[in-house]
């Protein structure tokens, strides 16, 4: 079977899509954003990863299955240029309106291009209790059975410690941030723990290495969280405005859900009440609990 996957970004969304690679059989071509190619290169022999800018180099091939998980007009236009047997995901109608296949409705009914409109899609998203992987897998006739992420080997990390803190969730979702990271860092260091705040790295592989070189990650719903889930690093994740239920925890994640989640669900503004709602002591206790489990697993007493 010849398969093409279109999943460009965000990078965390690309990472959480990689469990599909453990299920799909045949030759796989994955079109992604240029910055994400390094995360897919060399993962397995049947995978070819190309940047969006290189997409025309494979446009003349015929595909048995086309998986388009992007909800953009540009990706929909690219789908129209491809030859394929079956489509799963989004495409364009004749009037340049984005639509999606019936078998992909489990995911796209909750998306920006939902047939119900964004307001109802957000309501459905708030009610949803199925993980992203389950929604995608089941739509394709597959069963999600805890298949892990596929990630490359990271480069060497010069940053290591007990706890990594990812304070920034990016400009798109400012309410994913939390006001008390500095206080948390101080409180953990008072216990004699080595705590590092992750900084921007030149490459994603360096960023991946930074996450993997700690025993626990504290962050919002962001790329570092997915790196932790993909490398077996225990994590404490704060959910201020996005769905905690879409994230599969792989038995290593402790989720802390804001008491104001419903009020700020999938809002992209910035309200200080949203970023301060989660209690400092609740996060601190969750981190200490995760470190205790990590110590028990590795036999390291801290």
């Amino acid at each position: 079977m010849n398969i093409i996957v279109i999943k460009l970004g965000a990078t965390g969304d690309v990472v959480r899509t990689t469990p599909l690679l453990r299920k799909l059989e045949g030759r796989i071509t994955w079109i992604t954003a240029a910055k994400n190619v390094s995360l897919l290169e060399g993962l397995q022999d049947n995978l070819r990863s190309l940047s969006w800018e290189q997409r025309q180099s494979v446009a003349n091939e015929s595909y048995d299955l086309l998986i388009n998980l992007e909800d953009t007009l540009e990706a929909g236009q690219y789908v129209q240029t491809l030859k394929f047997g079956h489509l799963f995901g989004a495409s364009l109608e004749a009037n340049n309106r984005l639509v999606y296949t019936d078998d992909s409705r489990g995911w796209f009914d909750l998306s920006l291009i939902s047939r119900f409109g964004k307001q109802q899609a957000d309501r459905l998203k708030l009610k949803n209790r199925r993980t992203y992987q389950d929604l995608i897998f089941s739509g394709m006739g597959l069963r999600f059975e805890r298949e892990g992420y596929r990630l490359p080997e990271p480069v060497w990390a010069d940053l290591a410690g007990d706890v990594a803190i990812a304070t920034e969730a990016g400009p798109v979702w400012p309410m994913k941030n939390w006001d008390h990271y500095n206080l948390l860092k101080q409180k953990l260091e008072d216990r004699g723990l080595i705590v590092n705040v992750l900084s921007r790295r030149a490459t994603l592989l360096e960023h991946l290495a930074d996450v993997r070189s700690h025993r626990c990650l504290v962050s919002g719903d962001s790329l570092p969280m997915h790196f932790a889930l993909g490398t077996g690093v225990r994590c404490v994740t704060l959910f201020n405005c996005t769905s905690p239920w879409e994230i599969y925890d792989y038995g290593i994640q402790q989720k802390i859900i804001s008491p104001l989640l419903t009020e700020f669900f999938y809002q992209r503004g910035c309200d200080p009440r949203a970023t301060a709602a989660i209690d400092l002591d609740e996060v601190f206790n969750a981190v200490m609990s995760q470190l205790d489990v990590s110590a028990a697993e590795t036999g390291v007493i801290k």
Side-chain angles (χ1 to χ4, degrees), residues 115-147:
R115 56 184 170 166
F116 302 112
K118 183 182 183 304
Q119 191 174 30
Q120 177 62 10
D122 285 348
R123 283 196 286 264
L124 292 172
K125 209 170 181 69
L126 184 59
K127 293 179 180 178
N128 173 58
R129 294 298 182 269
R130 298 173 65 192
T131 65
Y132 170 79
Q133 291 93 330
D134 181 36
L135 291 167
I136 297 298
F137 275 49
S138 63
M140 299 179 63
L142 303 171
R143 183 173 179 177
F144 177 60
E145 298 174 306
R146 294 177 56 95
E147 286 81 6

Side-chain angles (χ1 to χ4, degrees), residues 24-90:
L24 298 176
E25 296 181 355
R27 187 186 186 200
I28 305 168
T29 299
W30 191 316
I31 307 294
T32 191
K35 66 179 180 179
N36 298 330
V37 171
S38 64
L39 294 177
L40 298 172
E41 275 184 326
L43 284 183
Q44 50 195 54
D45 293 339
N46 66 334
L47 175 64
R48 170 178 58 176
S49 58
L50 298 170
S51 71
W52 177 247
E53 291 74 19
Q54 297 171 309
R55 64 190 181 279
Q56 295 305 329
S57 66
V58 295
N60 292 327
E61 297 184 25
S62 295
Y63 299 95
D64 301 292
L65 173 62
L66 192 166
I67 303 169
N68 178 28
L69 297 174
E70 291 296 319
D71 55 11
T72 65
L73 184 65
E74 194 172 17
Q77 290 169 336
Y78 180 57
V79 167
Q80 287 184 316
T81 70
L82 298 174
K83 299 184 288 291
F84 55 87
H86 179 74
L87 169 68
F88 177 90

Side-chain angles (χ1 to χ4, degrees), residues 204-237:
L204 288 173
L205 295 184
E206 291 173 285
H207 191 28
L208 174 61
D210 284 345
V211 172
R212 198 179 72 163
S213 61
H214 292 80
R215 295 197 292 139
C216 180
L217 170 82
V218 187
S219 72
D221 174 10
S222 60
L223 175 61
M225 174 198 73
H226 288 292
F227 279 166
L229 291 172
T231 55
V233 173
R234 291 194 162 270
C235 52
V236 174
T237 309

